[in-house]
Amino acid sequence: MRIAIVGIATETSTFTMDRSPLERFSLTRGEEVLAMYDWAERFADLPADVEFVPGLVATVNAGGPVDAAAYDVLEAEILDWLAAEGPWDGVYLHMHGAMAVEGRDAAEERFVGAVRAVVGEWVPMSMSMDPHGNLSRELAGMVELAAAHRQAPHLDRWQTRERSVRNLVEVIRRGVAPTKAWVRVPLLLPGERTSTEVEPGRSVFGRMIPAIERYEGVLDANMWIGFAWADEPRNAAAVLVTGWDESDVLACARELAEAYWAAHEGFRIVAEHHGPWQRALDFVLEGAATPVYLSDAGDNVSAGGSGDLTVALGETLARDDVRTSGRSFLFAGLVDAPTFDAALAAGVGAVLERRIGAVVDRRYAGPVAGCWTVERFIEGVHGEDRPVAAVLRDGHVTVSVQWARRYFVSTADPAFAGYPMPGLAWFDPSGYDVVVVKNGYLFTGQALAAGSFFMGITPGGTDLDYGRLDYRRAGRPIWPLDDSFEPDLEPVLLTAAPVITH
């Protein structure tokens, strides 16, 4: 039994000015793929006749649309490799589900369809995805299996991939494709409304495992949130149930979809304290427990923000009462490669009188002027040949300036354990009264460190105020862009033909 491992995975905001070129991708090939997954350990119990053959897995952190030429290079390598190394008994696809390619629609549908054309119509394929990806009817029809993380933050990313692979092996053994029931749930929700650590996300997404156990004919059940910050008709929530008994599969899909929709008005911003940036600053001054973590949510680099927006930084520096309060601020992860280069050339202790930020996106605010002292440099953790960030200070405000877009998160954070992040520019922020991060809801480690938390609803490519985003192509009606409509939650049966393996 020969199973190919390939994939292209990223999450794309179409509302950002950022772009994702080829050089930003991490390209993992051959035995390095097996090492990345710890494959031998995770699947040591499988029979010896199960052979995993790794090709190219191309990944890049969330960002703007992928350069079309870059996508074509990655797709061509994978397709050529699959053709040359076949025939195959199965294919495992490492995906995300929210990739957008500049000037094109339906990136995952194109990629998976191209893989299907190469490997053959009856070779089973299983795909692991992020729930913030989009499972369109077309995409669901192209694969035998698709699995999404059940937790947000994604503490179960490795378990999801393992489930996807083990179910694929079972399908190949049976020689028959499972029945699939798919439902589009007309919701356009961000992760900041759907965390599984609070209600209603905890209960809604917590229904999956009990449902699988209750319906004997169900193999797997998954629910997608979809991706809110891309303007494509396919972007929406979805349910997919797979199994061996048609009536059980349909009943399970219907139950999950109806429970999903029944809770839709309860999906609110998960942060107890949230609002405009000026309100975030008031929250700090009103005596919030330190360290106070503030999210610059409109420039969320973990969802595609450009990472260089300066609305929050500029408004903070402009507030005299904030400056005289004595509270120290760390703005973590401002992307500005020219300023980083200038700091590196000047060295520790140098003073840079320059404007920083807004290198890519000046739609909401321009570069911020300051007299910045270079305090130190942050070394990378992946063998980088130069530091990954420069720590600059002007009075009560410190800014960590990075040459690349990366989350401000420790490699020890449970949400990212084992996740490859070259260029990571994290350092211990202890000692600062306020830590400003360019993500939405806090990652697990950030939440544990925070004395209090306020989510700033700022403008940008990941704006939580939908009224400021220019949706033109979203599949309508969809909540919350529309209300007062009755959704069609009837499951669509996608029954595949028998699988023929080599």
Side-chain angles (χ1 to χ4, degrees), residues 153-172:
H154 306 320
L155 304 179
D156 61 334
R157 63 176 76 242
W158 299 113
Q159 294 92 326
T160 302
R161 292 163 186 164
E162 185 172 341
R163 182 171 82 249
S164 178
V165 171
R166 289 186 181 277
N167 287 343
L168 175 61
V169 172
E170 180 176 347
V171 167
I172 296 171

Side-chain angles (χ1 to χ4, degrees), residues 277-285 294 315-316 319 322 329:
W277 194 254
Q278 292 294 331
R279 181 69 193 100
L281 297 176
D282 293 340
F283 179 74
V284 171
L285 298 183
L294 305 180
E315 290 188 8
T316 302
R319 284 271 298 257
V322 173
F329 281 70

Side-chain angles (χ1 to χ4, degrees), residues 149-469:
H149 310 321
R150 291 175 174 147
Q151 295 178 319
H154 306 320
L155 304 179
D156 61 334
R157 63 176 76 242
W158 299 113
Q159 294 92 326
T160 302
R161 292 163 186 164
E162 185 172 341
R163 182 171 82 249
S164 178
V165 171
R166 289 186 181 277
N167 287 343
L168 175 61
V169 172
E170 180 176 347
V171 167
I172 296 171
R173 290 283 189 217
R174 284 177 176 252
V176 178
T179 294
K180 299 174 290 184
W182 171 88
V183 185
R184 179 183 185 271
V185 184
L187 300 174
L188 192 64
L189 297 170
E192 285 67 29
R193 291 188 178 210
T194 51
S195 171
T196 59
E197 296 188 341
V198 298
E199 296 296 345
R202 180 189 291 122
S203 296
V204 169
F205 300 107
R207 299 177 70 96
M208 284 181 277
I209 293 176
I212 295 169
E213 294 171 347
R214 189 166 60 256
Y215 292 98
E216 293 184 1
V218 167
L219 171 64
D220 200 14
N222 293 274
M223 301 169 73
W224 281 258
I225 297 162
F227 191 63
W229 291 301
D231 192 19
E232 289 189 56
R234 67 177 184 150
N235 288 46
V239 171
L240 181 71
V241 177
T242 56
W244 313 111
D245 182 272
E246 181 177 306
S247 61
D248 278 358
V249 167
L250 286 169
C252 184
R254 185 177 294 108
E255 175 189 319
L256 293 177
E258 289 177 352
Y260 206 163
W261 178 257
H264 75 277
E265 291 186 345
F267 286 110
R268 304 296 182 186
I269 299 295
V270 298
E272 178 182 357
H273 305 288
H274 60 273
W277 194 254
Q278 292 294 331
R279 181 69 193 100
L281 297 176
D282 293 340
F283 179 74
V284 171
L285 298 183
E286 289 165 1
T290 58
V292 187
Y293 271 66
L294 305 180
S295 287
D296 183 5
D299 195 22
N300 179 357
V301 295
S302 71
S306 59
D308 72 334
L309 298 190
T310 58
V311 172
L313 177 60
E315 290 188 8
T316 302
L317 288 169
R319 284 271 298 257
D320 288 339
D321 55 347
V322 173
R323 178 176 52 80
T324 59
S325 70
R327 289 172 174 79
S328 59
F329 281 70
L330 170 64
F331 282 78
L334 182 72
V335 182
D336 184 340
T339 293
F340 170 84
D341 290 341
L344 192 62
V348 173
V351 177
L352 304 177
E353 293 190 31
R354 63 181 289 136
R355 295 177 178 272
I356 66 173
V359 176
V360 171
D361 193 343
R362 300 189 179 192
R363 290 175 295 174
Y364 312 103
V368 174
C371 192
W372 307 99
T373 299
V374 181
E375 292 199 320
R376 59 178 170 139
F377 295 96
I378 306 303
E379 300 296 329
V381 296
H382 292 280
E384 291 85 352
D385 59 2
R386 60 173 177 163
V388 292
V391 180
L392 313 179
R393 182 178 57 82
D394 184 348
H396 68 294
V397 169
T398 299
V399 184
S400 171
V401 177
Q402 303 174 186
W403 52 262
R405 296 168 59 263
R406 292 293 184 270
Y407 318 148
F408 185 75
V409 63
S410 168
T411 55
D413 193 296
F416 291 94
Y419 188 75
M421 288 191 286
L424 184 69
W426 185 84
F427 58 93
D428 185 355
S430 299
Y432 293 99
D433 297 317
V434 183
V435 181
V436 181
V437 291
K438 285 185 176 292
N439 44 273
Y441 58 78
L442 296 184
F443 301 127
T444 306
Q446 294 171 344
L448 291 172
S452 56
F453 171 50
F454 190 101
M455 188 181 294
I457 311 300
T458 50
T462 56
D463 198 336
L464 290 167
D465 182 346
Y466 285 9
R468 296 189 297 216
L469 296 173

